[in-house]
Amino acid sequence: MRNLSCQYELGHNRKPGTKHISAMNKEYTLLLRKQVEKLGSDNFDLEAWKSATISVLTRIFGPSDSRILQIEGLKIDYGSWALRDAQGSYNPLATCKKKGEELLEAAISELEILGLPENEKGTSIVSLISSLEDELKVSQIKSLKNILNSDHDTTKKQAELVKAIESWGKKIPSLILAKFMLQSDLEKHL
């Protein structure tokens, strides 16, 4: 397995013909590379790795990404015919790690070459959530959740959201909006 460093400078070692990736894509690529590195850990736990990897892939590509199902399907089957027939050369854990690595490397290549899927609705939501989490206190996020999850009608929720946002002052909403606009590659859509 390759020894990948999370200090890898994305964009500097690009193949000719690949486009520069946005700061958000760099962060996502870094997350995926960290998951690849975990495959080489001495105390590797497949189920924990799968959960974390599924979380990362869902955040980047949305819940319907086919790689998620493939990661979920990774399992160590010590009772399989392949294990019985292999005379000691079959290593189910190594096979799971290799498949996981290949899936993540493909996702990294996709981000570096193609960028985030442009039609993925979840990407904008992820960018907005990331912006909110970066700028708001936990109590402010909980307040937003409570308003959004309330039984009030849309008009009442909107009024409550406006009131909550205004209570943060002028700087925080501006920071959130600016950060969201930068993370969501808005320039492509304006």
Side-chain angles (χ1 to χ4, degrees):
M1 191 164 316
R2 287 177 277 170
N3 182 14
L4 297 174
S5 169
C6 284
Q7 302 302 317
Y8 181 78
E9 290 293 323
L10 299 173
H12 295 289
N13 297 326
R14 286 195 317 262
K15 295 177 184 169
T18 61
K19 65 182 181 178
H20 178 72
I21 58 177
S22 71
M24 189 63 148
N25 289 4
K26 286 181 184 181
E27 291 173 9
Y28 287 151
T29 303
L30 186 61
L31 278 171
L32 292 170
R33 289 198 186 283
K34 284 183 178 183
Q35 287 308 111
V36 171
E37 284 182 359
K38 289 178 183 178
L39 290 167
S41 171
D42 291 338
N43 59 349
F44 178 76
D45 179 329
L46 180 63
E47 292 304 314
W49 179 85
K50 283 171 39 176
S51 295
T53 302
I54 289 168
S55 176
V56 170
L57 288 171
T58 301
R59 181 176 181 99
I60 298 169
F61 296 103
S64 61
D65 187 68
S66 65
R67 287 173 284 244
I68 293 169
L69 285 175
Q70 293 178 51
I71 295 290
E72 285 173 345
L74 294 177
K75 63 182 177 194
I76 301 172
D77 187 6
Y78 288 107
S80 74
W81 286 104
L83 182 60
R84 284 182 236 153
D85 294 343
Q87 299 176 0
S89 64
Y90 176 69
N91 182 339
L93 181 59
T95 302
C96 288
K97 287 181 174 184
K98 184 64 178 165
K99 186 171 183 180
E101 179 184 17
E102 292 300 323
L103 287 167
L104 293 181
E105 288 296 336
I108 291 167
S109 294
E110 182 179 327
L111 282 174
E112 289 177 338
I113 296 169
L114 303 174
L116 285 169
E118 294 202 17
N119 294 330
E120 183 63 57
K121 185 177 180 181
T123 303
S124 296
I125 292 170
V126 167
S127 296
L128 180 57
I129 290 170
S130 175
S131 301
L132 290 169
E133 288 173 343
D134 287 348
E135 300 302 330
L136 296 179
K137 298 175 186 170
V138 173
S139 62
Q140 292 169 318
I141 291 174
K142 284 182 181 177
S143 173
L144 289 178
K145 270 186 173 177
N146 289 338
I147 294 168
L148 292 169
N149 291 326
S150 72
D151 292 331
H152 298 130
D153 65 8
T154 304
T155 306
K156 176 107 169 130
K157 284 183 183 182
Q158 182 176 349
E160 290 176 0
L161 286 169
V162 168
K163 185 177 177 183
I165 292 168
E166 286 176 346
S167 74
W168 305 335
K170 292 182 179 180
K171 186 176 182 183
I172 301 251
S174 298
L175 284 170
I176 292 169
L177 181 59
K179 189 164 194 156
F180 168 68
M181 292 171 80
L182 291 169
Q183 288 180 353
S184 62
D185 295 326
L186 188 63
E187 72 277 2
K188 293 178 184 176
H189 305 286
L190 287 178

